[in-house]
Amino acid sequence: MPASLTDVAKAADVSIATASRVLAGSAHPVAEETRLRVLKTAEELGYQPNLVARSLRIDHTYTIGIIVENILSPFIPPIVRGIQDRLEVDGYFGITINAGWDPQVEAEAIQTLRKRQIDGIIFVESCLRSSDEVFELADKPHVFVHRLFNSLSLNSIVPDEHYGARLATRHLAQLGHRRIAFINGPEGWNATINRMAGYQEELAIRGIFDPGLVERGDWEVQSGYLAAQRLIALKDPPTAIFAGNDLMALGAIYAIQEAGWRVPGDIAIVGYDDREFSGFVRPAITTIRMPCEEMGRASAEALLRLIDGETEAIEPILIRGELVVRQSCGARGEGEWEFEPERGSLPRRRARELCP
Amino acid sequence: MPASLTDVAKAADVSIATASRVLAGSAHPVAEETRLRVLKTAEELGYQPNLVARSLRIDHTYTIGIIVENILSPFIPPIVRGIQDRLEVDGYFGITINAGWDPQVEAEAIQTLRKRQIDGIIFVESCLRSSDEVFELADKPHVFVHRLFNSLSLNSIVPDEHYGARLATRHLAQLGHRRIAFINGPEGWNATINRMAGYQEELAIRGIFDPGLVERGDWEVQSGYLAAQRLIALKDPPTAIFAGNDLMALGAIYAIQEAGWRVPGDIAIVGYDDREFSGFVRPAITTIRMPCEEMGRASAEALLRLIDGETEAIEPILIRGELVVRQSCGARGEGEWEFEPERGSLPRRRARELCP
DNA sequence: GTGAAAGCGCTAACAT
DNA sequence: ATGTTAGCGCTTTCAC
């Protein structure tokens, strides 16, 4: 049986109220002498406050719900990590539920969280359309992070893909390329619309935009492979390709190599997302990093402000990722290539310490 | 203000006890007529039980702690997914904490969880040495899943790497190879010890084990690359390489290709882990799947049994992964190659439905 | 500066 | 079959 506040109060010969005041760090004044005595007895008894009881009393659980579509989806773990890290600072906790891109399941998840009296909700890559839908289900503070289909509503934290696409395109242009193709994503996605817009804007400013160099894929490797084959078959093929994501960039690289050309020698490639494999594929893919952890942190930060009542709603927040230069763009020459260490793995030094 | 049990009881004109009995699904008998009336009023008032209050009362939170070393580590999201899926069936929830391979942080995490009155703990890839350490910190049911450094203690769920390694080696042997090399992992890891043992046992049985064909890497791409270069330089090089993990298999493939040889034509490769990139690298890597979700489910299952008091401790559980045949082993011939779709991504059909 | 007591929402004896 | 009541561990008024 763990010691309760009553136990500590009894042992320290004070009232339970006083014990609570010192152990919960209340602003209410307590004589220094008693304070120390209570602290000491609590220590001796190994007292740990019962947060469930406290939550019931103060009507605040310091717990927020994180509704993710699928924890296996590539950007979600880093987003969740960012959320957790920021939450921890304020003593909050997140409980995550997988909703599998099903609005029905998402609605049920909200109910479950409501029963657990969570203080707020973060939707990660949610397919729910509006805040109204959420308020109908649970009148709780909430934010959306990395919405895939409609970005510009309130309480949203999304990547600045227009900016990223301009960065990628500009990099290629500055390397001297004038025929820069684009492999776009499937219709309807924010990423498709904004990456295309950034690409087009950057080239239009330079007077070298050519709609004939825009192909469409579906985000998967195979589609990038096929799109690049079409691009290669042009009478006047591009000298560089900006692929809408790293998966399609990889497919494009395969198509180019298969045609007997070299990357970046004959055609330079830039991808988007900075997926882990981009660092150890050959050639390693130059790309735009998706600022997942930053988005996670920003969303937690925003939710905490909403919970504290500092504001009614937050304006959409755009988070920028930076250009990651590797081999496929040609900026580093073609000779040398390095392998990046795996992300998220146990650091070598640590590993050695832990071995028996 | 959400409706409480008292509100429902009042509105349905029954005592709060009766309301509780029907709404909490108690075994205590209630007249069908009253039951229906309570249910109806609860529905009308939008009643949702307050699980925090219930937890305090019944001293059971239906919450378990999941202490992971780093949610960004590749096997952890699928393990967590498996845990969550199994937990959900019994109405439990998991809250995850990142401990960063630091026993100190891990100890603090246990305290935090204890304050939240969790019913049990699952340690994922934990570096804590024994159950004793945990019991000192919190006298709670707990299991370890995918221990990296000491597998065979009680309450552990680990992959059967000895079995997997035999599977991989046997596959190569059955393809006709007799000089099969092995790129081992760094010292001290369970994976290193058990994969080596499986490799050696399978070859010894066939009388073709040659210690001169065993190289060592550190799990990263670069080390596989280097190890394969040493193997190639042998007077009598192997015709097949079993790499201790997919990362090193990839490095080996690069070294072989760079030497002007072909995979699998000149040297066949089999990896281990079935990492996502193994499915869309060229050649796609034949490998042994790490049964992460199964381990997660099994660990949740085991913990639930511990919580229910069905048993005092569980014997170590070994989970097997199967051989995934792709291009690098040569079993499918060299011509055709396909790209696998990304795991964890939004299914195409769903994506189309969700587009505005 | 300290203590007594009410009560958060719920469950489970113990009546009736 | 239904109701009354105590109490889980805590915070917080309100008195002194």
Side-chain angles (χ1 to χ4, degrees):
Chain A
M1 280 287 94
S4 75
L5 200 51
T6 318
D7 299 330
V8 177
K10 221 168 276 173
D13 196 35
V14 292
S15 77
I16 155 176
T18 303
S20 168
R21 291 198 259 258
V22 356
L23 263 7
S26 152
H28 200 101
V30 172
E32 189 57 16
E33 192 200 2
T34 17
R35 218 180 66 82
L36 259 29
R37 194 167 73 247
V38 171
L39 249 22
K40 189 162 143 287
T41 8
E43 172 76 46
E44 283 167 8
L45 297 181
Y47 172 74
Q48 294 281 83
N50 180 329
L51 263 28
V52 171
R54 174 181 295 171
S55 291
L56 178 62
R57 183 58 237 248
I58 68 178
D59 197 26
H60 193 100
T61 53
Y62 287 92
T63 305
I64 68 124
I66 306 177
I67 297 184
V68 305
E69 295 312 320
N70 180 4
I71 188 81
L72 266 27
S73 189
F75 304 122
I76 294 194
I79 291 176
V80 169
R81 183 61 138 106
I83 293 173
Q84 289 172 336
D85 287 352
R86 179 61 188 83
L87 248 29
E88 197 191 351
V89 176
D90 283 34
Y92 278 76
F93 255 87
I95 65 187
T96 73
I97 308 189
N98 295 286
W101 290 285
D102 184 336
Q104 176 63 31
V105 176
E106 224 164 311
E108 285 161 21
I110 295 173
Q111 294 310 328
T112 310
L113 292 170
R114 200 157 80 101
K115 291 187 214 155
R116 288 190 174 244
Q117 312 295 114
I118 44 92
D119 300 327
I121 308 178
I122 297 182
F123 293 89
V124 183
E125 294 189 359
S126 168
C127 50
L128 247 40
R129 276 309 193 292
S130 70
S131 280
D132 298 353
E133 287 184 58
V134 182
F135 274 119
E136 249 173 65
L137 296 162
D139 187 9
K140 294 277 184 194
H142 61 272
V143 300
F144 296 95
V145 57
H146 199 205
R147 304 190 87 163
L148 267 18
F149 297 108
N150 48 349
S151 59
L152 281 163
S153 47
L154 286 176
N155 301 324
S156 293
I157 291 87
V158 293
D160 190 345
E161 323 221 54
H162 181 273
Y163 169 84
R166 285 200 61 172
L167 225 51
T169 312
R170 188 180 313 152
H171 179 64
L172 253 10
Q174 285 173 345
L175 252 21
H177 296 281
R178 300 198 53 87
R179 290 190 59 69
I180 303 172
F182 180 53
I183 303 179
N184 204 358
E187 281 182 61
W189 296 63
N190 290 335
T192 297
I193 298 163
N194 299 325
R195 292 176 192 181
M196 175 67 200
Y199 159 79
Q200 181 164 353
E201 185 171 314
E202 184 66 30
L203 290 192
I205 289 172
R206 296 166 183 270
I208 52 175
F209 173 66
D210 174 357
L213 292 180
V214 177
E215 283 289 342
R216 193 183 283 281
D218 66 1
W219 298 135
E220 301 278 352
V221 178
Q222 180 83 31
S223 71
Y225 175 80
L226 265 17
Q229 284 187 327
R230 293 193 294 271
L231 254 9
I232 290 171
L234 257 29
K235 307 121 249 190
D236 189 7
T239 63
I241 300 176
F242 169 32
N245 73 356
D246 288 351
L247 248 13
M248 297 194 297
L250 185 61
I253 289 172
Y254 293 152
I256 294 166
Q257 290 174 339
E258 209 169 272
W261 293 358
R262 285 161 52 203
V263 177
D266 298 306
I267 299 188
I269 302 274
V270 173
Y272 204 110
D273 288 346
D274 193 22
R275 295 286 297 275
E276 181 172 60
F277 66 82
S278 303
F280 41 69
V281 124
R282 299 182 77 177
I285 301 172
T286 292
T287 190
I288 304 295
R289 192 176 61 85
M290 188 61 114
C292 294
E293 298 198 38
E294 293 90 331
M295 291 194 292
R297 269 196 293 278
S299 64
E301 178 91 36
L303 183 66
L304 258 18
R305 284 182 37 221
L306 250 22
I307 290 175
D308 290 349
E310 284 179 38
T311 172
E312 280 287 292
I314 57 155
E315 293 298 315
I317 298 176
L318 290 176
I319 311 275
R320 293 178 168 188
E322 72 283 354
L323 177 74
V324 180
V325 179
R326 297 203 182 91
Q327 270 72 46
S328 69
C329 62
R332 298 177 156 204
E334 245 181 295
E336 294 299 297
W337 54 278
E338 319 130 29
F339 300 107
E340 297 180 7
E342 177 181 23
R343 297 171 197 169
S345 64
L346 177 53
R348 304 257 188 95
R349 179 123 38 98
R350 250 306 30 145
R352 264 195 302 274
E353 290 166 16
L354 296 169
C355 294
Chain B
M1 280 287 91
S4 75
L5 200 53
T6 318
D7 299 331
V8 177
K10 221 168 277 174
D13 197 36
V14 293
S15 77
I16 159 175
T18 305
S20 169
R21 292 198 260 258
V22 355
L23 264 5
S26 151
H28 200 102
V30 172
E32 189 56 15
E33 190 200 4
T34 17
R35 217 181 67 79
L36 260 28
R37 194 167 73 246
V38 171
L39 249 22
K40 190 161 143 285
T41 3
E43 173 76 45
E44 284 167 6
L45 298 180
Y47 171 75
Q48 293 282 82
N50 181 330
L51 263 29
V52 171
R54 174 181 295 169
S55 292
L56 177 62
R57 184 56 238 250
I58 67 178
D59 196 26
H60 193 99
T61 54
Y62 286 93
T63 304
I64 68 126
I66 305 177
I67 297 185
V68 305
E69 296 311 321
N70 179 6
I71 187 80
L72 266 26
S73 190
F75 304 122
I76 294 195
I79 292 177
V80 169
R81 182 62 137 106
I83 293 174
Q84 289 172 337
D85 287 351
R86 179 60 189 84
L87 248 28
E88 198 192 350
V89 176
D90 282 35
Y92 279 76
F93 256 88
I95 65 186
T96 74
I97 309 190
N98 295 286
W101 290 286
D102 185 337
Q104 175 64 30
V105 175
E106 224 165 312
E108 286 161 20
I110 296 173
Q111 293 310 329
T112 310
L113 292 170
R114 201 158 77 102
K115 291 187 214 158
R116 290 191 173 245
Q117 312 294 116
I118 44 93
D119 301 327
I121 309 180
I122 297 182
F123 293 89
V124 184
E125 294 189 0
S126 169
C127 49
L128 248 41
R129 276 308 192 291
S130 71
S131 279
D132 298 353
E133 289 184 57
V134 182
F135 273 119
E136 247 173 66
L137 296 164
D139 187 9
K140 295 277 183 192
H142 61 272
V143 300
F144 296 96
V145 57
H146 199 204
R147 303 189 89 162
L148 268 17
F149 298 107
N150 47 349
S151 60
L152 281 163
S153 47
L154 286 176
N155 302 324
S156 294
I157 291 87
V158 294
D160 190 344
E161 321 222 55
H162 182 272
Y163 170 84
R166 286 200 61 171
L167 226 49
T169 312
R170 186 179 315 151
H171 179 64
L172 254 8
Q174 286 174 344
L175 253 19
H177 296 282
R178 301 198 52 87
R179 291 191 55 72
I180 302 172
F182 181 52
I183 303 179
N184 203 357
E187 282 181 58
W189 296 62
N190 289 337
T192 297
I193 299 163
N194 298 325
R195 292 176 192 182
M196 174 68 201
Y199 158 79
Q200 181 164 353
E201 183 170 316
E202 185 66 30
L203 291 191
I205 289 172
R206 296 166 183 270
I208 52 175
F209 173 65
D210 175 358
L213 291 179
V214 177
E215 284 289 341
R216 194 184 281 283
D218 67 1
W219 299 134
E220 301 279 352
V221 178
Q222 181 83 32
S223 72
Y225 175 79
L226 266 18
Q229 284 186 329
R230 293 192 294 270
L231 254 10
I232 290 172
L234 256 31
K235 307 121 248 192
D236 190 8
T239 63
I241 300 176
F242 170 31
N245 72 356
D246 288 350
L247 246 14
M248 297 194 297
L250 186 60
I253 289 172
Y254 292 153
I256 294 165
Q257 290 175 339
E258 209 169 273
W261 293 358
R262 284 161 54 205
V263 177
D266 299 306
I267 299 188
I269 301 276
V270 173
Y272 204 112
D273 288 346
D274 192 22
R275 295 287 298 276
E276 181 173 59
F277 66 82
S278 303
F280 41 70
V281 125
R282 299 183 76 177
I285 302 172
T286 291
T287 190
I288 303 296
R289 192 176 62 85
M290 187 61 115
C292 294
E293 298 198 38
E294 292 90 331
M295 290 195 292
R297 269 195 294 277
S299 63
E301 178 91 34
L303 183 66
L304 257 18
R305 281 182 40 222
L306 250 22
I307 290 174
D308 289 350
E310 283 179 37
T311 173
E312 280 287 293
I314 58 155
E315 292 299 315
I317 298 176
L318 290 176
I319 311 275
R320 295 178 168 189
E322 72 283 354
L323 177 74
V324 180
V325 178
R326 297 204 181 91
Q327 271 72 46
S328 68
C329 61
R332 297 179 156 203
E334 247 181 296
E336 295 297 298
W337 54 277
E338 321 130 28
F339 301 106
E340 297 181 8
E342 176 181 23
R343 296 172 199 169
S345 65
L346 176 53
R348 304 259 188 94
R349 178 124 37 98
R350 259 272 70 124
R352 265 197 301 276
E353 289 166 16
L354 296 168
C355 294

